[in-house]
Amino acid sequence: MTWQPTLTWGNAQKRANILQEIRQFFAERNVVEVETPALSQGTVTDVYLDALTCKYNFLADSISEQSVDLFLQTSPEFHMKRLLASGYGCIYSIAKAFRHEEAGRYHNPEFTMLEWYRIGFDQFELMSEVADLLKLVLGGDKALFTSYQDIFIETISVDPLVATFDELVEVLTKHGKAADWLIEMNDADLLLQFIFTEIIEPTIGVNEPQFIYDFPIAQASLAKKSLDDPRVAQRFECYFKGIELVNGFNELTDATEQVARFEDDNKKRLEQDLPAKPIDRSFIAALKHGLPQCSGVALGIDRLVMLALDIKDISEVQCFSIERA
């Protein structure tokens, strides 16, 4: 192990300049910066996300001899929505986020996330604003916008909204991606996500940022259903040069439906021999109180800096990677 940083002084200054540009971008739009807790009593139920946990003995309603689990946040989302429900206007946060996953070229278990919420925006208005921010930081003139359904049809000639399990297995076999464990799960949505990640993602946003929108409802537990097609939800992602940069939603505001989706997440977790996660009751209480119609988006700052500085490994845009932390 070495004590030295993985981020050079020169690139540290460039990263700081990018953060200053981002803050100026929001200042000009009257979007206010907020801070949210890194530790929380609640966490996400997402099947594909795991939070880091720690023990705490001093909550007001617990006895000091018995510790409770607190969770390092995978994003500031739930706290920011609680702020919106309490009467805050349009807000953004540049915050540390934590995910219990393997480190790699694009991943570090601790990273910096930019998240913002725009009251009254739909997903297309927010996608446009994201494109403006990317143009400011990365340059370029345009972005591409393609629906999830269309990108499947264009890339593999399969409609993901009507394809059968057997048809999806055939696609995997054709591309040499079939695996016994994957097929044995007997989950068509899991196959869709695997096909998207392994076959379609490498073709997206090669020369300019490309937004993919209207994901299947099962892949968007925090987004509103589309008014035009109830099979999909108003969720979008953005890719550029092989990197997933952005994940956004026209936010679900119905507390009852949100609880049902969280419970469905936990059902899937149990089916995959994963532990169920506690539903964040403070977040649900905020939804019951009333979340204004809004759209929100999360953007990986470290990945954005990688693109801006033409750097190939996330460790080189962070002062200390997990191996040197």
Side-chain angles (χ1 to χ4, degrees):
M1 179 183 289
T2 178
W3 59 269
Q4 294 175 311
T6 46
L7 174 64
T8 68
W9 173 233
N11 284 340
Q13 293 174 81
K14 293 175 183 177
R15 179 185 172 112
N17 289 336
I18 290 170
L19 289 170
Q20 185 176 11
E21 284 185 321
I22 290 170
R23 287 189 163 97
Q24 183 61 32
F25 177 88
F26 289 114
E28 292 172 357
R29 289 161 174 76
N30 296 316
V31 182
V32 175
E33 184 171 10
V34 296
E35 291 186 352
T36 57
L39 282 173
S40 177
Q41 297 177 57
T43 188
V44 294
T45 56
D46 192 308
V47 179
Y48 304 103
L49 282 183
D50 274 317
L52 292 162
T53 63
C54 67
K55 299 292 185 179
Y56 186 68
N57 288 63
F58 304 105
L59 286 180
D61 58 354
S62 65
I63 56 176
S64 60
E65 292 80 12
Q66 183 175 351
S67 63
V68 297
D69 284 333
L70 294 182
F71 302 90
L72 284 166
Q73 290 305 282
T74 58
S75 92
E77 177 173 2
F78 290 178
H79 288 106
M80 293 184 78
K81 288 181 177 177
R82 286 165 62 182
L83 294 177
L84 294 171
S86 73
Y88 278 47
C90 297
I91 53 177
Y92 78 97
S93 171
I94 297 176
K96 288 291 188 179
F98 306 85
R99 296 182 182 181
H100 194 195
E101 59 188 25
E102 187 176 2
R105 180 179 172 188
Y106 300 126
H107 301 276
N108 193 65
E110 178 182 352
F111 59 98
T112 304
M113 179 177 285
L114 165 64
E115 190 154 327
W116 76 95
Y117 291 85
R118 295 294 247 139
I119 295 173
F121 275 36
D122 63 22
Q123 64 170 339
F124 295 103
E125 289 171 304
L126 189 54
M127 278 191 280
S128 178
E129 186 166 71
V130 175
D132 289 341
L133 178 61
L134 296 182
K135 181 178 179 181
L136 172 69
V137 176
L138 302 177
D141 296 321
K142 63 178 181 178
L144 301 177
F145 300 85
T146 312
S147 74
Y148 184 94
Q149 183 180 35
D150 286 345
I151 199 68
F152 266 76
I153 293 171
E154 292 171 10
T155 308
I156 60 171
S157 302
V158 169
D159 185 338
L161 303 183
V162 299
T164 65
F165 183 87
D166 290 341
E167 287 172 334
L168 297 176
V169 171
E170 185 178 335
V171 170
L172 289 169
T173 302
K174 178 181 176 181
H175 288 84
K177 298 290 186 179
D180 291 342
W181 70 266
L182 186 62
I183 296 169
E184 288 168 2
M185 295 297 291
N186 196 33
D187 184 339
D189 185 63
L190 180 62
L191 296 190
L192 281 177
Q193 294 187 60
F194 192 84
I195 290 169
F196 186 81
T197 300
E198 295 293 322
I199 301 172
I200 295 176
E201 268 190 22
T203 72
I204 301 172
V206 176
N207 298 311
E208 55 272 302
Q210 185 168 4
F211 291 81
I212 307 298
Y213 61 89
D214 284 352
F215 279 68
I217 195 76
Q219 298 179 33
S221 67
L222 293 157
K224 283 186 176 180
K225 289 181 182 178
S226 169
L227 297 177
D228 300 320
D229 187 342
R231 298 174 298 177
V232 302
Q234 297 178 49
R235 172 192 171 194
F236 64 87
E237 292 188 347
C238 182
Y239 297 80
F240 189 33
K241 295 183 179 179
I243 296 179
E244 178 193 341
L245 271 179
V246 163
N247 189 21
F249 306 90
N250 187 355
E251 303 296 344
L252 179 62
T253 58
D254 185 292
T256 301
E257 184 174 353
Q258 186 66 82
V259 170
R261 293 197 197 178
F262 284 163
E263 290 174 343
D264 188 54
D265 283 346
N266 272 329
K267 180 181 177 182
K268 290 180 179 179
R269 293 185 69 87
L270 294 173
E271 289 171 352
Q272 296 184 30
D273 295 323
L274 298 170
K277 297 294 184 180
I279 292 174
D280 189 327
R281 296 300 173 184
S282 293
F283 173 52
I284 297 303
L287 291 185
K288 289 179 178 178
H289 177 76
L291 180 68
Q293 188 280 316
C294 61
S295 288
V297 62
L299 185 156
I301 289 287
D302 306 298
R303 294 181 178 184
L304 181 66
V305 175
M306 287 175 66
L307 287 169
L309 303 186
D310 193 25
I311 287 174
K312 306 304 181 185
D313 195 293
I314 195 171
S315 66
E316 296 178 40
V317 298
Q318 298 175 322
C319 284
F320 298 98
S321 67
I322 189 63
E323 300 300 334
R324 300 192 188 186

